[in-house]
Amino acid sequence: MATAKKAAKKPAAKKAPAKKPAVKKAAAKKPAAKKVAAKKSAAKKPAVKKAAAKAPAAKKVAAKKPAAKKAVKKARKPNAAFMKALTPSAALASIVGDKPLPRTEVVKRMWDYIKKGKLQDEVNKRLINADDKLRQVFGKAQVNMFEMTGLVGKHLK
């Protein structure tokens, strides 16, 4: 009988390193006489939980893969209308230059001019205070930054 207990303890000891956290908790709570039974039951329970945990994790990964493929398919392409070179009017040419430029480059150069001249309103950064050149383009003394692109678009052909 003593050899049977030792034989029972040895396989439990071999299984214990694989399930270290569960075995340590069970061993700390149970008395020494019940350790063998506790180790066997503790060793079985985490194995079931891990198997159950792996199945939903695999489903989550499978669910993410199609979403990633959709993101790849919906990659944005530059709009050709924005990249078309347009000729600025004389008033706008004094700010951005007289060569034909895409609409995006015109707006970029406008912002460079505004920041260089410190024409943004100090209190409300969305407002642009027009100087003499910008007043010819905007038609008023102060413009909202969102309205600026519409006003600049009227000066492009």
Side-chain angles (χ1 to χ4, degrees), residues 3-144:
T3 57
K5 287 182 181 177
K6 287 181 183 176
K9 287 183 181 178
K10 287 182 183 177
K14 287 181 182 178
K15 289 182 184 176
K19 316 296 186 220
K20 285 183 180 179
V23 174
K24 286 182 180 179
K25 289 179 183 177
K29 292 179 182 178
K30 302 286 180 173
K34 296 181 181 178
K35 280 185 180 178
V36 175
K39 286 182 183 177
K40 286 182 182 178
S41 64
K44 290 180 184 177
K45 288 180 182 176
V48 174
K49 288 181 182 177
K50 285 185 180 178
K54 287 181 182 177
K59 289 180 183 177
K60 288 181 183 177
V61 172
K64 288 182 182 177
K65 286 182 181 178
K69 288 180 183 178
K70 288 180 184 177
V72 172
K73 288 181 182 178
K74 291 184 179 181
R76 293 188 65 189
K77 296 177 184 176
N79 190 344
F82 285 121
M83 304 315 285
K84 182 181 175 185
L86 299 169
T87 307
S89 67
L92 187 60
S94 65
I95 299 168
V96 297
D98 58 349
K99 294 181 181 177
L101 296 167
R103 190 178 303 271
T104 55
E105 186 65 26
V106 170
V107 173
K108 182 179 174 184
R109 290 189 183 185
M110 288 286 292
W111 274 109
D112 290 342
Y113 179 81
I114 291 165
K115 289 183 179 180
K116 183 180 175 183
K118 298 180 182 177
L119 299 174
Q120 256 182 311
D121 191 58
E122 291 297 322
V123 177
N124 188 354
K125 296 284 186 180
R126 288 180 285 180
L127 297 177
I128 299 163
N129 300 320
D131 63 352
D132 294 334
K133 290 181 180 179
L134 285 176
R135 194 171 280 119
Q136 291 175 353
V137 175
F138 297 155
K140 47 186 166 178
Q142 196 173 44
V143 175
N144 188 338

